[in-house]
Each structure stands twice: as C-alpha cells, then as structure tokens.
C-alpha cells in the first residue's frame, strides 16, 4: 500500500510542474510542455491526447484528455499508467499575489501497472533524462520530492495491478479511490483510500503529522485506521515509508474473519469458538524494515479467551508466518473442541452412544508456524478439565507438538508430550505420565463412568489416526501401565457376590473396597489387551485378563476373585466373574463354565494327587519287598558261602588227620638185617 501512495503522489507533483505557464498557453502547447517536462524529470514518455482545456470557474485550471505514461523498457508494452484525463485547479487570488497554490488535482479512472523484475528492478523507479540508470535491484530513489501544497488530490475509479515476476505474485486493486488533503507540505496530511482487493472492500484513513518528511523517507507521527467488513485495525504511533517501518499502539477488532481473509485471497479457516473465530488485539507494536513484527504488553482475545504476553512475527522469506511468543491466561475455555458442545452457541447437544463422529477441522494448523509458551490457571477442553498448566507448543508445517511441562488435572499432575499431526489427514499421539490422579472425576468427564473411586498413576504411549474422535479411538495402538491405591468400586460387592454365589448381589453399601489394583496393557486397533491384572482387597483378591474396546466402549473381561476366609489371606470361595457390555452399562455375571472348569480342574488335581500318592505308596511297598528279598538272598548267599567254607575246612582237617596216621604207621614198622 505504501508503494501505491508514493507513486500516486509523485504523479500528482510531476503533473503540476509548470502549471502557471500552462494556464496561459494554447491547448496543444500545454500538452507538449507537460509531456516534455515529465520526460525530462522522469525519463519516461507521457502522451496527452484529445483536447486540453483551461477553465476559470469554479477554479482556474486545466483539463486534459486521455493520458498515458510509458512503462520501463524491460517491462513490456503495457503502459505504466493510463487515465481518461487529468484535472488541475489553482487558487486564483493566490496566483495574483505571485504564489501558486494547487487547490485540486484529479486523476480520472486511471489504470496503473506496477511491476518488479526478477532481478529486483521496479518500474516506478524513474531516472531523469540523461542520468545514469540505477543498477538492477537498487532503488534510484528519485531524489527528494519538492515541497508543494495540495488542497485536494483525487483518484477516482482507478485500478492498480502489482506483479512480482520473481515470485509470480499478482495483486489487483479495483475501484480505487484516493482523497488527499495537504494544506502544508511540512505539516499534516490526510489520506482516505478505498478499494477492493480479491473482491473485498477495504477502507484506509491516515493522518501524517509531517507529510513532507514522511513522503521523502523520514519518520513521522502517524495515525491510521483500516476497515474491511466488520474488522478494523487502528494504529497510533510513528512510521516511515521508505523503507516501511512503524512503531506505536495498535487496537484491532477482527470480528469479521471472512472479510479479513477474503481481502488476502484466502478462505477463512472454520475455527471452533474459542480458537479465534473472532479476535481482538491491543498492545505496543513494532514493524521493522526487515519485515518482522513485534508485540509487547499485548492482550489477545480469541472469542471468550483472553491471553496477555509478547509476540514476535517473522514474515519475510517464510513460506508461512512464524510466530514466537509467551502468553499468560487466567481461565481458557476450549470446551467446543468436544463434539458434545455446539460450535456456534457453546450449548450442549445430544450425542449418540460412542465417541463423537464430527470431522475435526485442523486447517488452522497450516496457516502459521509457531513456537509458543503458555501458562494458564485453568483450561477447559470440553471432555477434560485442566488446572494450572505450563505448556509449550511448537507448530511446524501443520504438525503441533505440545510439551506438557506441568499440568495439574483431577488432583494429580500430567507431564509428557502430545502430538497433533495435520499433514495429509490427522493423527494424534503421545507419551504421557499421570501421577496421583483422581479416577472418578476423570472417568466421569471422559466416559460418564462414576463407579471407580481411587487415586492412580498412569503411563501411556499411544498413536491414533483419523479425522474424527471415533476414528482415532478405533485406531489406537500403544502400551502402558497403571496402578491404583486404596479405593472403591461402587455398585459391586465382590465378596458378597462370591459368598452368595449370586452375580446380582449388592448388599449393604453396594461397593467393593480394595487396597490396590495394578496392570500393564497393550493397545492395537482401538482394543486394549491385558493379562496381568492384580486386585488386592481386605477380604478378597483377584487376577484378571481380557479386552477393553476403547473404540467401541465395550468390555470383555474375566476376573477370577477369591473371597478370603479371614484377613490373614487364608483361602476361601472362588467364583470367576465375567464383565461384559458397555462402559456406560457393564454386565456382571459368574463364569459358570469357568467355575465348572475350575472345579473339574480342582477334582482332577485332587485325583491326580491321590493317584500319585497311591503310586508312591505302591512303589514304596515294592521297594520294601525288594529290599527284604534282597536281604534274604544276601543272607542265604552268606549262609551257603559259610557252609561251603565249613565243608572245605572239614575236608582239609580229615585229609590232614589221614596223613598224620599214615606217617605214624610208617614209623612203627620193624626194620630187617643180614
């Protein structure tokens, strides 16, 4: 917009060069003089066709026919400016006193073409005849604009086209009207501009304290107001036009997002209420020559939500604006993120059983990149309510990562990371830790389930894909664990049920008190699987396994409880229980088949024990008989060996006696002689 204003003002000034002489010349000489003066000052050819007429009433001045101004030699054959005519009026009484005061300059139905070449040259950079052209990419500047006064400068019914050949960007302003009042070149100037961009009406009103200084590239106090549709932006501070920079207070009421985005050639994102369907902004703003914007002492209202803090916005060279900031808030209401709340009115609506199936619009994730920190006293997410929270958000190409530094919720603390990825659809994931959280209010908000009263710890790592909450819940995968301390299960008297063998038994108090519950789990395709549930109660214990349908909100779980005979843990009655149905209406019944199988298993175990005992006894008898037999055999063998030994000794003694008798007999025989 600043280029448009500067260009129009330069044209105004160049047109009135030599106006005093023009007033007393014939029409053809007026046209020729104006053309020569313009070409000498700019190096561009001007053509004035048709009659050039002078007038005395109501103003002394001239009126030309159609006018064209040539484009830069590199920019093609289309003229830079084409108008149906020019009208210039001067103050007659001041002219008699030797002073030229321009009362009115009007450019009638101009068509303006502004172009930037790929090498950075701009077609509005003009060089006087005979001067050396500025190098590519460098502004010629054109020198200081001489002082002038202008009672009123007008552009009526204009059209301006801006083309950047490097980026391919093309912007068209139609129905362009400009009204400039400049009684004193070094004093205040007032500009009113109205136009249409992308079919959307835009109005600008600006007051510049030192117009001459501002026009020649200096900094001046300035107030401005821009309006499009029902949105307005007001600025009060100081600014410079070349290069453009500004500093001051801004007050923006962006009540009409459709008009604002329409003026930018974009469709307004369908944001839920509370996320910026309407917005207000106020604070101290600085816009630098490098294309960065900075907000300090800012207050930002996103519908009913108010945040305060500081913001830095980087635009130049970015595919999307990059927003960095730190915000504080009291209570933030994002309850419309839950499909059970109407996005328009914020009122509760009737929903069918199960998870919401409304399509989640994440188009807003692609409009900016961000690195933002937030500290809030409370955050209402509709289905979940958070207490004091410290959160950091990094948004990069439609992927938002929420770092939960410390979030208090349901009397506990949540920490970890949550990711929302809008690249090519929607996926959500996270790695969260929950410590000392109250289960009853949490489950009430999440699933309207109020029967579990306990404080627990939870760790969960998960990933879900889908464009609705229902689709995400049906696709969940991951793993985790949880532990619950002392608590109660309302509406279920487990010990009484076991003692009475009646699944419908409630008993006094209708609850089961427990000491602890713990389990680990895995998730796949929206179903939670668990096989190590441990339940410990004063007069009962249980283990469990089964499935929990997260997507379908159903239960298919088997608990094997034991009603203890005493608090010392001695065994008692055991009746397996099946839990089926929905989260909202669970069904409890004894697992008779399981009970029969369990009893049969007990009988089988007892019979096997008896058979094993009998087998062991028979084996013991057999071993004893075998030992006795072996003992007899050993005794008989020893006796036989002894008999044989005795018999051998007897024979030896008999033989010895026989030998002794024979020897004696030989000794008694008489000897013979000769």
């Amino acid at each position: 917009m600043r280029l448009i204003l500067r260009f129009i003002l330069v044209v105004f000034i160049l047109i009135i060069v030599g106006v005093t002489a023009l007033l007393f010349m014939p029409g053809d000489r007026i046209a020729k003089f104006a053309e020569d003066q313009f070409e000498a000052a700019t190096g561009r050819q001007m053509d004035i066709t048709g009659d050039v007429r002078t007038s005395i009433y109501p103003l002394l001045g001239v009126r030309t026919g159609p006018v064209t101004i040539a484009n830069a030699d590199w920019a093609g054959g289309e003229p830079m400016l084409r108008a149906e005519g020019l009208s210039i009026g001067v103050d007659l009484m001041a002219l008699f006193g030797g002073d030229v005061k321009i009362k009115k300059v009007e450019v009638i139905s101009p068509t303006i073409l502004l172009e930037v070449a790929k090498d950075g040259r701009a077609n509005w950079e003009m060089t006087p005849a005979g001067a050396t052209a500025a190098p590519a990419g460098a502004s010629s500047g054109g020198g200081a604009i001489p002082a002038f006064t202008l009672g009123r400068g007008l552009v009526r019914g204009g059209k301006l086209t801006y083309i950047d050949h490097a980026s391919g960007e093309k912007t068209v302003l139609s129905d362009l009207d400009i009204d400039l009042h400049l009684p004193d070149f070094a004093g205040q100037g007032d500009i009113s501009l109205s136009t249409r961009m992308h079919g959307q009406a835009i109005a600008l009103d600006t007051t510049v304290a030192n117009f001459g200084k501002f026009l020649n590239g200096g900094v001046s106090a300035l107030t401005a107001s821009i309006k499009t549709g029902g949105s307005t932006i007001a600025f009060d501070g100081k600014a410079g036009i070349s290069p453009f920079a500004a500093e001051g207070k801004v007050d923006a009421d962006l009540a009409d997002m459709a008009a604002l985005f329409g003026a930018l050639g974009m469709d307004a994102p369908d944001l839920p209420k509370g996320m910026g369907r309407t917005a207000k902004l106020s604070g101290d703003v600085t816009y630098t020559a490098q294309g960065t914007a900075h907000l300090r002492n800012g207050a930002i209202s996103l519908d009913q939500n108010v945040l305060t803090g500081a913001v830095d916005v980087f635009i130049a060279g970015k595919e999307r604006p990059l927003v960095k900031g730190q915000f504080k808030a009291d209570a933030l209401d994002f309850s419309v993120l839950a499909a059970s709340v109407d996005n328009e009115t914020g009122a509760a609506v009737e929903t069918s059983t199960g998870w919401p199936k409304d399509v989640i619009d994440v188009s807003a994730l692609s409009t900016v990149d961000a690195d933002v920190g937030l500290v809030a006293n409370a955050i209402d997410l509709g289905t979940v309510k958070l207490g004091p929270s410290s959160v950091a958000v990094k948004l990069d190409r439609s992927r938002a990562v929420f770092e939960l530094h410390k979030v208090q919720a349901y009397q506990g603390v949540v920490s970890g990371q949550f990711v929302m990825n809008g690249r090519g659809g929607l996926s959500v994931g996270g790695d969260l830790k929950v410590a000392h959280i109250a289960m009853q209010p949490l489950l009430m908000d999440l699933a309207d389930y109020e029967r579990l009263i306990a404080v627990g710890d939870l760790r969960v790592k998960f990933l879900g894909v889908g464009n609705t909450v229902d689709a995400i819940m049906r696709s969940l995968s991951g793993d985790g664990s949880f532990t619950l301390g002392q608590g109660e299960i309302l509406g279920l008297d487990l010990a009484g049920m076991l003692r009475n063998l009646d699944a419908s038994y409630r008993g006094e108090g209708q609850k089961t008190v427990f000491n602890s519950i713990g389990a680990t789990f895995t998730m796949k395709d929206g179903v939670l699987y668990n096989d190590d549930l441990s339940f410990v109660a004063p007069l009962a214990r249980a283990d469990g396994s089964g499935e929990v349908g997260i997507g379908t909100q159903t239960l298919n779980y088997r608990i094997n409880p034991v009603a203890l005979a005493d608090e010392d843990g001695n065994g008692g009655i055991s009746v397996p229980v099946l839990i089926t149905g929905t989260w909202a209406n669970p069904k409890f019944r004894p697992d008779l088949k399981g009970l029969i199988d369990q009893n049969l298993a007990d009988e089988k175990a007892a019979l096997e024990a008896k058979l094993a005992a009998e087998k062991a006894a028979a084996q013991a008898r057999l071993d004893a008989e075998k030992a006795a037999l072996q003992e007899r055999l050993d005794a008989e063998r020893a006796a036989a060996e002894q008999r044989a030994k005795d018999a051998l000794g007897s024979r030896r003694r008999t033989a010895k006696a026989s030998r002794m008798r024979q020897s004696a007999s030989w000794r008694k025989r008489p000897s013979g002689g000769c």
Side-chain angles (χ1 to χ4, degrees):
M1 194 66 69
R2 64 183 185 276
L3 298 176
I4 301 169
L5 294 175
R6 186 174 175 86
F7 174 76
I8 296 298
L9 292 169
V10 171
V11 171
F12 281 157
I13 297 163
L14 293 174
I15 288 171
I16 62 176
V17 172
V19 66
T20 306
L22 294 176
L23 294 174
F24 300 102
M25 291 182 182
D28 56 344
R29 292 186 63 188
I30 292 174
K32 179 61 176 173
F33 180 83
E35 291 170 353
D36 292 343
Q37 292 292 312
F38 186 86
E39 185 170 356
T42 66
R44 299 284 179 85
Q45 181 180 346
M46 173 190 279
D47 292 320
I48 301 176
T49 59
D51 295 334
V52 178
R53 301 184 301 274
T54 60
S55 63
I56 298 176
Y57 182 83
L59 286 175
L60 178 65
V62 294
R63 170 71 182 264
T64 74
V67 177
T68 59
I69 297 176
N71 210 334
D73 53 7
W74 54 264
E78 283 293 318
M80 182 178 181
L81 180 142
R82 180 188 289 116
E84 292 182 4
L86 305 174
S87 178
I88 305 171
V90 299
D91 187 332
L92 180 59
M93 298 306 294
L95 188 62
F96 286 146
D99 189 14
V100 179
K101 289 187 177 181
I102 307 301
K103 299 289 289 185
K104 178 181 178 182
V105 175
E106 182 175 0
V107 184
I108 304 168
S109 300
T111 299
I112 304 166
L113 176 61
L114 301 181
E115 298 180 84
V116 177
K118 291 183 178 181
D119 60 9
R121 289 177 295 172
N123 70 337
W124 60 83
E125 296 170 353
M126 302 180 187
T127 304
T132 303
S139 175
S140 63
I145 296 174
F148 69 97
T149 61
L150 182 59
R152 192 176 189 192
L154 297 172
V155 173
R156 287 284 182 259
K159 177 182 179 181
L160 185 145
T161 302
Y162 172 83
I163 301 174
D164 187 337
H165 292 282
S167 65
E169 177 187 356
K170 180 178 180 180
T171 302
V172 178
L173 302 182
S174 60
D175 299 334
L176 177 62
D177 293 339
I178 300 176
D179 194 343
L180 166 66
H181 294 267
L182 184 59
D184 183 357
F185 186 76
Q188 177 176 307
D190 298 305
I191 303 173
S192 294
L193 180 149
S194 65
T195 187
R196 285 187 174 273
M197 186 163 66
H198 299 292
Q200 180 62 46
I202 301 174
L204 167 67
D205 291 300
T206 302
T207 297
V208 182
N210 191 325
F211 195 86
K213 182 179 180 181
F214 178 77
L215 188 60
N216 281 308
V219 176
S220 171
L222 179 146
T223 62
S225 176
I226 301 175
K227 182 176 181 180
T228 178
S231 296
T232 59
I233 302 174
F235 174 82
D236 186 355
K238 57 184 179 180
I241 197 172
S242 181
F244 180 73
E247 181 180 352
K249 293 187 178 296
V250 69
D251 190 355
D253 185 354
L254 310 181
D256 191 346
M257 286 293 185
L260 185 63
F261 277 85
L264 300 174
M266 302 168 60
D267 293 329
D270 185 17
L271 298 174
K273 186 177 181 182
M275 299 294 290
R277 181 168 292 185
T278 63
K280 292 183 179 180
L281 182 148
S282 62
D284 300 325
V285 171
T286 301
Y287 184 87
T288 69
Q290 290 73 38
T292 65
H294 309 272
L295 174 67
R296 297 294 181 268
N297 303 316
I300 301 174
S301 298
L302 303 176
D303 301 311
Q304 73 274 21
N305 295 314
V306 179
L307 303 97
T308 59
V311 185
D312 299 302
V313 181
F314 304 88
I315 301 174
K318 303 291 184 182
E319 183 179 352
R320 289 165 302 280
L322 171 61
V323 179
K324 293 185 176 182
Q326 292 292 328
F327 296 99
K328 293 182 179 180
D330 183 15
L332 297 176
D333 181 3
F334 299 132
S335 58
V336 292
L337 293 176
S340 59
V341 178
D342 185 82
N343 281 352
E344 293 289 344
T345 65
V349 296
E350 293 295 328
T351 58
S352 58
T353 302
W355 299 106
K357 297 182 179 180
D358 298 346
V359 175
I360 302 172
D361 183 7
V362 294
S363 59
L365 295 179
S366 64
T367 57
V368 297
D369 291 337
D371 186 353
V372 177
L374 170 65
V375 176
N377 290 331
I379 304 176
D380 185 352
L381 298 177
T383 54
V384 176
K385 296 175 177 60
L386 308 178
S389 303
S390 176
V391 181
V393 182
K394 291 187 177 180
L395 175 58
D396 178 32
R397 295 179 294 114
S398 300
R399 183 177 183 270
V401 179
F402 298 82
E403 295 286 349
L404 309 182
H405 298 305
K406 184 178 181 181
V407 177
Q408 296 185 20
Y410 302 96
Q411 304 172 32
V413 177
V414 183
S415 61
Q417 185 182 85
F418 176 78
V419 179
M420 180 180 291
N421 191 345
R423 301 172 185 171
L426 174 62
S427 63
V428 297
D431 189 352
L432 301 175
K433 294 181 180 179
V434 180
H436 309 301
I437 200 161
M439 300 303 298
Q440 187 185 46
L442 174 64
L443 293 177
M444 273 293 294
D445 286 345
L446 285 177
D448 196 27
Y449 185 79
E450 62 179 353
R451 297 190 179 189
L452 179 60
I453 301 176
V455 174
D457 298 333
L458 170 69
R459 181 196 63 80
V460 60
K461 188 174 183 179
F462 65 94
L463 175 66
V465 179
N467 292 320
T468 67
V469 175
D470 181 77
I472 291 171
M473 291 300 182
R474 290 176 183 272
S475 69
L476 279 179
S477 61
D479 58 70
S481 63
F482 75 90
T483 57
L484 302 180
Q486 288 185 332
E488 302 175 357
I489 302 177
L490 302 179
L492 174 65
D493 185 353
L494 187 59
M497 182 187 299
L498 293 173
R499 292 191 181 93
N500 292 275
L501 298 179
D502 182 2
S504 63
Y505 179 81
R506 291 294 179 264
E508 184 179 356
Q510 301 183 14
K511 65 181 180 181
T512 294
V513 177
F514 58 84
N515 294 334
S516 66
I517 301 176
T520 62
F521 58 86
T522 60
M523 295 180 289
K524 184 178 180 181
D525 298 329
V527 179
L528 183 149
Y529 301 92
N530 159 258
D531 60 5
D532 63 353
L533 176 69
S534 174
F535 176 96
V536 179
L539 292 176
R541 68 172 184 268
D543 55 56
S545 62
E547 303 173 3
V548 177
I550 299 174
T552 56
Q553 296 186 3
T554 56
L555 298 163
N556 184 16
Y557 207 83
R558 183 179 188 272
I559 296 179
N560 185 31
V562 177
L564 303 177
D566 54 48
E567 294 186 0
D568 293 331
N570 297 316
I573 302 172
S574 175
V575 179
V577 176
L578 290 178
I579 306 175
T580 58
T582 65
W583 294 2
N585 187 26
K587 306 294 184 183
F588 299 88
R589 60 183 176 85
D591 183 5
L592 298 180
K593 181 178 180 302
L595 180 60
I596 293 172
D597 291 343
Q598 179 175 304
N599 291 334
L600 289 176
D602 292 342
E603 293 179 4
K604 180 180 178 181
L607 180 60
E608 289 177 347
K610 180 180 179 182
L611 291 174
E614 292 177 352
K615 181 179 179 181
Q619 185 66 44
R621 289 194 299 272
L622 180 61
D623 291 343
E625 292 175 358
K626 182 178 179 180
L629 177 61
Q630 185 66 43
E631 185 177 353
R632 287 199 304 273
L633 289 174
D634 291 343
E636 290 178 359
R637 183 183 299 111
E641 290 176 351
Q642 186 62 45
R643 287 194 297 272
K645 185 185 292 186
D646 293 344
L648 179 61
S650 178
R651 286 195 298 271
R652 287 178 178 176
R653 288 192 297 273
T654 302
K656 182 177 180 181
S658 176
R659 287 192 301 271
M660 291 178 64
R661 285 194 299 271
Q662 289 178 358
S663 176
S665 174
W666 282 103
R667 286 193 302 267
K668 292 179 178 183
R669 179 177 299 177
S671 59
C674 305

